[in-house]
Amino acid sequence: QVQVVESGGGLVQAGGSLRLSCTASTASGLTFDDYAMGWFRQAPGKEREGVSCISRSGSNTYYADSVKGRFTISRDNAKFTLYLQMNSLEPEDTAMYYCAAARVNGGISTLCRDSSIFNYWGQGTQVTVSS
């Protein structure tokens, strides 16, 4: 069994901050660092967007242009946890945010631009930024 569960979403005023967390459990014989991880979001009427992704070791990261300088992705492999620190939030950041895992190695920028490569998805956590 493999599970990914997001938490930390909610309602925040523009300019505020949130930190999303994603905790994982893995199949027998696998550890958290067997997976590249990513955060994706989807707002009504828009396609799913790769927000930020991180390599298995955490050494390589990718950020969508829309969030560069405002969001920071990190992971704690010992705790089987992925994080997304979101600062200077804007109403356009309002979306359902999903944690996803891909049992692949390398190619983080490519992975984050093609969500179909990720093979496990969490249930999502809603982020709403008010004006």
Side-chain angles (χ1 to χ4, degrees):
Q1 177 178 250
V2 179
Q3 288 187 316
V4 176
V5 180
E6 303 98 332
S7 63
L11 176 65
V12 65
Q13 290 183 311
S17 298
L18 287 172
R19 188 172 80 158
L20 305 184
S21 298
C22 171
T23 57
S25 60
T26 60
S28 179
L30 299 175
T31 58
F32 190 50
D33 62 4
D34 285 311
Y35 296 88
M37 301 294 297
W39 289 101
F40 295 80
R41 68 185 182 187
Q42 188 165 25
K46 295 184 178 181
E47 294 185 350
R48 186 163 54 192
E49 174 189 19
V51 176
S52 183
C53 297
I54 190 167
S55 63
R56 292 167 60 179
S57 68
S59 61
N60 294 314
T61 58
Y62 165 88
Y63 296 94
D65 289 342
S66 60
V67 306
K68 285 180 180 177
R70 299 189 297 120
F71 291 9
T72 303
I73 192 170
S74 61
R75 65 191 295 164
D76 187 334
N77 287 338
K79 296 182 178 179
F80 281 45
T81 302
L82 174 74
Y83 303 98
L84 184 67
Q85 179 67 47
M86 305 186 295
N87 298 326
S88 301
L89 284 162
E90 303 169 353
E92 66 185 2
D93 296 315
T94 295
M96 184 71 73
Y97 283 71
Y98 298 91
C99 174
R103 196 177 168 220
V104 296
N105 204 3
I108 282 297
S109 62
T110 299
L111 283 171
C112 224
R113 297 185 181 102
D114 184 2
S115 63
S116 67
I117 297 174
F118 286 80
N119 50 27
Y120 185 84
W121 294 81
Q123 81 289 346
T125 185
Q126 178 68 37
V127 172
T128 302
V129 184
S130 65
S131 300

